Structures are given as structure tokens and as C-alpha cells.
Amino acid sequence: MSEITREVSGSKGRYVLSQDGHEAELTYSRLGETQVIADHTSVPEALSGTGAGLKLVTRLIEDARAEGFRIVPLCPFVNAMRRKHPEWADVFNV
């Protein structure tokens, strides 16, 4: 079973998925109250193919909708997931 936590430190933050003793993460930077830059997604080899990256992006999308911010997809993985999921268009600034 995996759990995603969110850590915030000033204008920086990250989502962490812990599974089977490994951690995947998606880092971001806040641009004021209304925008977040998705900086980087990192999934260790041990979690490759488990959907860990997609779970992290999905959590970011859920939080964007709940908190009213938009996402700037600087991270190539987040940008690729944005293109695969047109239903997420409401939360992205591109």
C-alpha cells in the first residue's frame, strides 16, 4: 500500500509517495497564491512501472482543484501526463 504525503517549506514543497521502503517525489515551487511550478518528478527504479509518478501528479491535480491554484508544468513528466489527460486542462497554465 502506498501513501502520499505533502511537505511544504516556505515557497517550496514536495509530494512524497512511500511504498515498499522506497520514496518517489514530485517537487514544486509556489508563485504566489494562484500558481505552482511543478519542477521535478523522481521515481526510483524499484517503483518503476507501479504508477507512482501518475499517483503523484494526480494528487497535485486534486490539490490544485481543491485549493484553487494553477500548475505550470516545467517538469517533463508532469507535462507529458498533462498531454495524456485532457480532462486536467482546467488546472494547467501552458
Side-chain angles (χ1 to χ4, degrees):
M1 189 68 183
S2 60
E3 176 186 340
I4 297 175
T5 57
R6 183 179 182 186
E7 301 170 1
V8 179
S9 178
S11 64
K12 304 280 186 184
R14 72 183 194 135
Y15 291 92
V16 180
L17 182 143
S18 299
Q19 183 174 314
D20 302 325
H22 302 281
E23 284 188 353
E25 73 172 357
L26 187 161
T27 63
Y28 65 88
S29 301
R30 256 206 185 276
L31 285 176
E33 293 296 313
T34 60
Q35 289 191 95
V36 163
I37 298 173
D39 303 312
H40 180 72
T41 304
S42 175
V43 176
E45 179 101 14
L47 296 181
S48 182
T50 65
L54 178 60
K55 290 174 189 173
L56 290 166
V57 177
T58 300
R59 171 67 187 274
L60 174 63
I61 300 299
E62 291 168 355
D63 286 353
R65 287 181 174 148
E67 298 171 22
F69 63 82
R70 294 181 60 82
I71 303 161
V72 178
L74 185 62
C75 168
F77 180 77
V78 174
N79 202 28
M81 291 297 99
R82 175 193 62 82
R83 288 191 303 271
K84 287 184 178 181
H85 294 273
E87 69 275 16
W88 293 347
D90 61 304
V91 296
F92 280 99
N93 280 349
V94 290

